[in-house]
Amino acid sequence: MLITNNIHYVGVNDRNKFLFEGLWPLPNGVSYNAYLIDDEKVCLIDTVEVDFFVQFIENIRNVIGDRPIDYLVVNHMEPDHSGSLALIKKYYPDVKIVGNKKTFGMMAGFYGIDEVGMEVKNGDSLELGQHTLQFFLTPMVHWPETMVTYDASTKTLFSGDAFGCFGALNGGIIDKDINCDTFWLEMTRYYSNIVGKYGTPVQNALKKLAGVPIDYICATHGPVWHEYVTKVVGIYDRLSRYEAEEGLVVCYGTMYGNTERMAEVIARAASEAGVKNIVLYNVSKTHHSYILRDIFRYRGLIVGAPTYNTGLYHEMDVLLSEIAGKDMKNRLFGWFGSFGWAGKAVAKIQEWNDNHLHFEAVGEPVEMKQALTEETRLQCEALGRAMAARLKET
């Protein structure tokens, strides 16, 4: 498909994979995007996962027929984008691979390709004819070798995984031709789980691109952005600064429903105190990628779980570890717990915050023995109101 001025989409859709990276659910599939610039010199930008090579090579030949590919720009070495490199080299043995120093080191390790083609540094350029490509190194967005490629003639940014999202493309490729409603939350979930830890490198990349006029963003997952370029860049800017909306995530573990009752009371009290954006999650039922997405969206977080085997309920322990791994900042945090005969959950959650999360503690933690009493109910209501009041202050 033609995007603009001899830039063609030659990517593929994966509607069969259940978990992205073996971790993140793909209810709507995912696309692996690659692009071909048909100029005096033909340039392929990124490849696709190797399982889709037959369709990929057909897409390429539909554009250029039997012409050779002169350059292959590798913005990112993750195998869902570089997996077809070795096969492309077999079909186009004279293609010159373009990447940075770290790109070529990874290429040798992943695919045994030892040759160094065209090594580029930040700001270097490549003339194709009508199109001139400029390269910006963006390390740790979200691998150390990542870079982006900019075509000044069309104001097109080939951004690698940056500005991407989950979801296969259902016919249309460019945002102006499709209904993008399903992609916005999937962009936040993608960012939160894939890129979320690397807020500072994302900010550094955005600073490098500040002042660069962009009409198209060609990411390696999701739609080609054109009408929504400003919105998409704004989403990444906000998320990478850990900014959040006024809202509350209440997530809990429960074995027999008693801890769940605490969560319901807390959420109701916060709602009655004026918080409209509230989501409740059972950590054993909802995949954690959706919970992490909403923790990135909303500033308030209250977690609770039972004591289990003299420690913290396993799925809550896992979730707190995942949150800590994102290096998230600027969140308000409350917690609660329950026990049958020996209470540990509340203390363990506090340890997570003191030693790893470092969020602002709000309200008094609530610890329940066995089942909800009137006293415990009042404590839960107080926790919900305290969080609401603090959210209203910010």
Side-chain angles (χ1 to χ4, degrees):
M1 175 181 173
L2 179 65
I3 296 171
T4 183
N5 192 22
N6 295 328
I7 298 176
H8 300 262
Y9 178 88
V10 291
V12 299
N13 285 304
D14 185 345
R15 303 183 191 279
N16 300 312
K17 182 170 290 182
F18 179 66
L19 293 174
F20 188 78
E21 298 182 338
L23 291 167
W24 320 115
L26 293 172
N28 303 315
V30 68
S31 66
Y32 309 123
N33 300 342
Y35 305 93
L36 194 67
I37 302 175
D38 182 11
D39 204 332
E40 294 173 22
K41 298 290 186 180
V42 175
C43 181
L44 176 63
I45 299 183
D46 293 308
T47 72
V48 303
E49 191 167 281
V50 68
D51 292 351
F52 296 86
F53 183 78
V54 172
Q55 183 182 342
F56 179 51
I57 200 70
E58 181 180 315
N59 292 347
I60 291 171
R61 286 181 166 171
N62 282 341
V63 177
I64 61 171
D66 293 330
R67 289 181 64 196
I69 297 174
D70 298 288
Y71 297 103
L72 167 52
V73 173
V74 180
N75 284 319
H76 183 27
M77 275 297 299
E78 203 164 4
D80 54 333
H81 308 301
S82 68
S84 294
L85 276 173
L87 286 174
I88 282 288
K89 284 289 292 180
K90 289 184 182 296
Y91 277 75
Y92 300 97
D94 296 325
V95 66
K96 181 172 286 189
I97 298 176
V98 181
N100 58 69
K101 184 176 181 179
K102 291 180 179 178
T103 306
F104 290 107
M106 288 188 176
M107 203 175 301
F110 275 116
Y111 308 114
I113 300 175
D114 293 319
E115 66 183 82
V116 175
M118 178 179 173
E119 183 180 318
V120 296
K121 296 180 175 62
N122 191 68
D124 285 352
S125 61
L126 172 63
E127 297 282 347
L128 302 178
Q130 294 182 1
H131 301 262
T132 299
L133 304 183
Q134 187 175 12
F135 306 100
F136 297 89
L137 304 191
T138 56
M140 296 317 302
V141 185
H142 53 120
W143 276 28
E145 87 304 347
T146 54
M147 67 182 195
V148 299
T149 301
Y150 179 69
D151 172 34
S153 67
T154 58
K155 301 177 184 176
T156 298
L157 181 71
F158 301 94
S159 62
D161 272 352
F163 309 117
C165 61
F166 295 132
L169 300 173
N170 301 321
I173 305 297
I174 305 174
D175 59 4
K176 67 182 179 64
D177 298 324
I178 59 181
N179 185 332
C180 292
D181 290 350
T182 61
F183 289 107
W184 301 123
L185 282 180
E186 286 295 74
M187 175 173 282
T188 301
R189 188 166 70 95
Y190 178 90
Y191 179 92
S192 304
N193 291 279
I194 307 297
V195 190
K197 181 181 178 68
Y198 304 105
T200 298
V202 171
Q203 280 293 304
N204 291 337
L206 290 174
K207 288 173 185 175
K208 282 186 179 179
L209 295 169
V212 174
I214 300 173
D215 281 349
Y216 293 88
I217 294 177
C218 294
T220 47
H221 298 293
V224 170
W225 303 111
H226 180 50
E227 290 187 346
Y228 291 114
V229 164
T230 301
K231 178 175 181 175
V232 166
V233 174
I235 289 172
Y236 264 64
D237 181 39
R238 184 178 69 253
L239 291 173
S240 61
R241 286 187 283 111
Y242 302 99
E243 289 190 357
E245 304 171 48
E246 179 188 298
L248 174 60
V249 179
V250 181
C251 47
Y252 62 89
T254 193
M255 288 184 284
Y256 303 109
N258 292 304
T259 317
E260 183 176 58
R261 292 183 67 192
M262 298 176 76
E264 295 282 4
V265 173
I266 291 166
R268 177 61 62 86
S271 175
E272 291 174 347
V275 180
K276 292 184 177 181
N277 294 322
I278 301 176
V279 289
L280 269 73
Y281 287 116
N282 182 329
V283 294
S284 297
K285 181 179 179 182
T286 301
H287 193 276
H288 292 183
S289 67
Y290 295 93
I291 302 174
L292 290 166
R293 176 198 68 189
D294 285 344
I295 294 171
F296 266 82
R297 292 174 68 200
Y298 298 129
R299 190 155 188 223
L301 172 63
I302 298 178
V303 306
T307 298
Y308 196 86
N309 284 342
T310 69
L312 183 60
Y313 186 74
H314 175 264
E315 285 300 314
M316 181 57 70
D317 210 36
V318 171
L319 177 65
L320 292 172
S321 175
E322 292 168 340
I323 296 170
K326 302 303 178 186
D327 290 340
M328 206 177 304
K329 300 171 180 63
N330 305 321
R331 293 299 181 270
L332 307 175
F333 190 57
W335 62 96
F336 61 99
S338 63
F339 65 98
W341 64 91
K344 290 288 186 180
V346 166
K348 290 292 184 182
I349 295 172
Q350 181 164 346
E351 285 179 16
W352 268 109
N353 195 43
D354 290 345
N355 298 329
H356 303 286
L357 304 179
H358 309 298
F359 294 157
E360 179 186 333
V362 174
E364 290 295 324
V366 183
E367 187 169 48
M368 180 181 73
K369 183 177 181 179
Q370 294 161 358
L372 194 68
T373 64
E374 185 59 27
E375 180 183 5
T376 309
R377 178 185 295 276
L378 292 173
Q379 292 172 342
C380 289
E381 290 175 347
L383 178 56
R385 287 195 299 269
M387 179 60 75
R390 186 69 186 91
L391 284 169
K392 293 295 181 181
E393 291 174 7
T394 56

